[in-house]
């Protein structure tokens, strides 16, 4: 059936005048409200006010505009249903065949500084979601448009056939319900900031962990498979927001990214973002096998690679600076799966182009900032939710517990090693010297075994190195192994019931030891 009547009421007015002109050219009657109607008239589009269409004025400060049987009846009545058609005729209800609605920017309003409870409440859209739901339910007859990106597609179909296809209407209906679902979920979470006091609503801070967590995700792309070939996988991004971080990185060359690539790329990106000076990170199976922070990116890469050249083969690399030609020339000697960085010099692109399967990803601005969203992990029957590990220890919070005080150079290196250890799977041990890792022990069931593995993996002498441990040493044996290998200083959280024994062992061995008072387990 030909589209005869459209209702347009949008907050985001991007492209709406041009779209409405295309509808008007098809002699489609346009109903509208408030600011949308004003804008369309100024653009030369003939508009009929919804209040004139329903016979009822906008009221209650604009809270009631489209909540009327003539609007929802016109959207919901089934065009081929005899009784619906009869009742519509009796009540003077005419069809509304096309709805173009987007909602008040509740999420953006909720993020404003100085927000009041009244502003939060008044930016809850009622009429918009109601129309979207009514139109989407009757998708067999009604086209519902929530996204300006769909204007051209809908207008083109109308210009071709005076109607949209059922395929299009069903797809747009799904999109409309996804929009209202996400919108209501956001409202439910934001209303947790409100409290009832002295007979009125007052606005406070968001709870660290909300009572309800509403996720709205949109599939961005299907992946070849998951961790293994028999597992299906896809990348999803937060619906209603522009993609961020690795999910928004521009792939410049190379094969399609896999599930495991994304996991390793995120680990690499996250660690690279810890450093302010030029840094290079090499990740293998979600653990750093080399990391360095130096005065130049080339030196950082060479030192990171020297930590564990065997494990670096087939790894994923991250840099916190644009990759220059000199660094690219060295990296090109090694087989790596992916490289992610804020940019690549033109000459570096030319060098990497010779490796057609190598994936190069350019991060968008701000992608090296820490992830501040809640972290979720699925378990059977539920979901574990926690804050991200953004804990940092100031110089004043570091506590030297041994007789020997670390030298300034030892302290700088311990700071570096502590940052790396935060990104190594527990139990984590990191040997470091001169702003680079020398040996990494990851994911062992006993901490002393992590020390032994880090020593075994080291390619350079460990004499004069420092050691970082993500959690306390439960026995003196870990410290003793580190000292035997040449370490001179240790940074660890402390907190073991045997701390005194561990400190005594460090004093006996001439080590300097610093307690952070903060643990960095990573599971």
């Amino acid at each position: 059936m030909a589209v005869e009547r459209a209702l347009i009421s949008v907050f985001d007015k991007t492209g709406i005048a041009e779209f409405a002109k295309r509808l008007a050219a098809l002699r489609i009657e346009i109903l509208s409200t408030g600011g949308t109607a004003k804008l369309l008239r100024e653009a030369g589009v003939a508009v009929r006010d919804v209040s004139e269409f329903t016979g009822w004025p906008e009221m209650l400060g604009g809270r009631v505009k489209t909540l009327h049987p003539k609007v929802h009846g016109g959207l919901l009545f089934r065009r081929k249903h005899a009784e619906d058609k009869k009742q519509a005729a009796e009540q003077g209800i005419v069809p509304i065949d096309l709805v173009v609605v987007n909602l008040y920017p509740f999420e953006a309003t909720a993020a404003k500084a100085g927000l009041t409870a009244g502003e939060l409440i008044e930016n809850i859209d009622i009429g918009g979601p109601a129309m979207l739901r009514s139109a989407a339910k009757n998708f067999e007859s009604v086209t519902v448009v929530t996204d300006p990106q769909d204007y051209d597609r809908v207008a083109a179909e109308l210009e071709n056939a005076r109607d949209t296809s059922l395929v299009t209407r069903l797809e747009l209906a799904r999109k409309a319900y996804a929009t209202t679902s996400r919108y209501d979920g956001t409202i439910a979470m934001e209303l947790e900031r409100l409290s009832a006091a002295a007979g009125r609503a007052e606005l406070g801070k968001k709870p660290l962990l909300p009572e309800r967590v509403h996720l709205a995700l949109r599939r961005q792309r299907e992946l070849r498979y998951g961790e293994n070939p028999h597992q299906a996988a896809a990348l999803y991004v937060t619906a209603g927001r522009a993609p961020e971080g690795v999910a928004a990185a521009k792939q410049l060359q190379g094969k399609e990214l896999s599930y495991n690539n994304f996991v390793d790329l995120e680990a690499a990106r996250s660690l690279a973002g810890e450093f302010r000076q030029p840094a290079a990170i090499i990740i293998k199976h979600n653990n750093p096998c080399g990391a360095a922070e130096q005065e130049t990116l080339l030196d950082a890469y060479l030192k990171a690679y020297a930590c564990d050249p065997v494990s670096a083969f087939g790894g994923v690399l991250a840099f916190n600076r644009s990759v220059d030609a000199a660094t690219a020339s060295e990296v090109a000697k090694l087989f790596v799966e992916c490289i992610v960085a804020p940019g690549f010099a033109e000459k570096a692109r030319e060098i990497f182009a010779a490796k057609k399967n190598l994936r190069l990803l350019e991060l968008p601005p701000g992608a090296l900032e820490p992830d501040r969203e809640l972290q979720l992990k699925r378990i059977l029957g539920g979901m574990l939710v926690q804050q991200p590990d953004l804990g940092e220890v100031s110089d004043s919070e570091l506590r030297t517990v041994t007789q020997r005080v670390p030298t300034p150079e030892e302290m700088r290196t311990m700071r570096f090693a502590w940052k790396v250890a935060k990104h190594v799977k527990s139990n984590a041990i990191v040997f470091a010297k001169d702003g680079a890792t020398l040996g990494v022990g990851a994911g062992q069931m006993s901490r002393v075994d992590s020390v032994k593995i880090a020593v075994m993996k080291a390619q350079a002498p460990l004499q004069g190195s420092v050691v970082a441990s993500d959690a306390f040493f439960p026995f003196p044996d870990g410290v003793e192994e580190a000292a035997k290998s040449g370490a001179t200083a240790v940074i660890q959280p402390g907190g073991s019931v045997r701390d005194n024994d561990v400190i005594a062992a460090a004093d006996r061995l001439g080590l300097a030891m610093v307690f952070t008072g903060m643990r960095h387990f990573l599971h």
Side-chain angles (χ1 to χ4, degrees), residues 348-400:
R349 291 277 305 272
E350 293 175 7
I351 292 167
F352 288 134
K355 294 175 168 283
K356 64 179 183 178
N357 289 331
L358 170 64
R359 294 103 158 167
L360 289 189
L361 286 94
E362 184 175 82
L363 289 170
L368 290 172
E369 293 299 313
D371 184 356
R372 301 183 184 278
E373 297 291 328
L374 291 175
Q375 295 179 334
L376 298 90
K377 183 171 288 189
R378 177 84 167 83
I379 61 172
L380 183 62
M383 188 80 75
L384 300 173
V385 180
Q386 68 171 357
Q387 290 181 288
D389 184 359
L390 301 175
E392 295 184 0
V393 180
S394 66
D395 289 341
S396 63
E397 293 172 308
L398 295 175
R399 183 163 63 95
T400 300

Side-chain angles (χ1 to χ4, degrees), residues 36-68:
T36 305
K38 181 174 182 291
L39 181 144
L40 295 181
R41 287 193 178 101
E42 290 173 350
V45 178
V47 174
R48 185 181 182 189
D49 286 320
V50 166
S51 58
E52 189 270 326
F53 174 74
T54 62
W56 282 80
E58 294 184 12
M59 61 182 66
L60 307 182
R63 284 187 169 197
V64 177
K65 300 177 184 178
T66 56
L67 298 172
H68 193 280

Side-chain angles (χ1 to χ4, degrees), residues 187-395:
I187 293 169
M189 293 177 67
E190 290 293 341
L191 287 186
E192 291 188 30
R193 298 169 62 183
L194 294 181
S195 60
R200 64 180 183 181
E202 294 186 354
L203 186 68
K205 292 182 179 179
K206 290 183 181 181
L208 294 178
L209 296 172
E211 182 181 354
R212 295 175 180 83
V213 176
H214 293 266
L215 280 180
L217 304 176
R218 173 178 58 82
R219 190 178 67 204
Q220 187 187 74
R221 70 178 90 169
E222 292 187 357
L223 304 176
R224 286 181 296 164
Y225 49 79
E227 286 180 295
N228 299 289
H230 60 276
Q231 295 171 266
L235 171 65
Y236 287 79
V237 297
T238 303
R241 290 194 212 166
E244 301 174 286
V246 171
K250 181 181 180 182
Q251 187 167 348
L252 303 177
Q253 70 168 58
K255 296 189 297 184
E256 180 186 354
L257 289 164
S258 72
Y259 179 97
N260 292 335
N261 290 154
F262 274 109
V263 172
D264 286 341
L265 283 164
E266 175 57 20
R269 179 213 65 83
S270 180
L271 179 50
E274 293 277 0
F275 303 107
R276 306 279 73 85
Q277 297 301 311
I281 311 299
I282 305 174
I283 295 288
K284 191 68 173 288
H285 297 305
N286 215 24
N287 272 304
C289 60
E293 182 182 35
Q294 301 291 308
E295 291 187 3
T296 70
L297 205 63
L298 175 59
D299 287 342
Y301 169 70
L302 291 173
K303 290 209 167 191
Y305 173 71
C307 176
D308 190 351
V310 173
S311 297
F313 182 87
V316 167
L317 275 59
F319 298 94
N320 66 351
R321 297 287 193 280
S322 182
V323 178
D324 55 79
T327 305
S329 294
E330 285 297 327
V331 173
K333 298 175 183 177
L334 175 69
F335 167 67
V336 296
E337 291 278 354
C338 313
I339 304 173
V340 64
F344 296 86
E346 185 176 345
K347 183 62 177 176
R349 291 277 305 272
E350 293 175 7
I351 292 167
F352 288 134
K355 294 175 168 283
K356 64 179 183 178
N357 289 331
L358 170 64
R359 294 103 158 167
L360 289 189
L361 286 94
E362 184 175 82
L363 289 170
L368 290 172
E369 293 299 313
D371 184 356
R372 301 183 184 278
E373 297 291 328
L374 291 175
Q375 295 179 334
L376 298 90
K377 183 171 288 189
R378 177 84 167 83
I379 61 172
L380 183 62
M383 188 80 75
L384 300 173
V385 180
Q386 68 171 357
Q387 290 181 288
D389 184 359
L390 301 175
E392 295 184 0
V393 180
S394 66
D395 289 341

Side-chain angles (χ1 to χ4, degrees), residues 16 26 37 49 89 102 167 182 323 511:
I16 193 62
L26 296 171
D49 286 320
N102 56 58
V167 169
R182 176 175 54 83
V323 178
L511 298 177

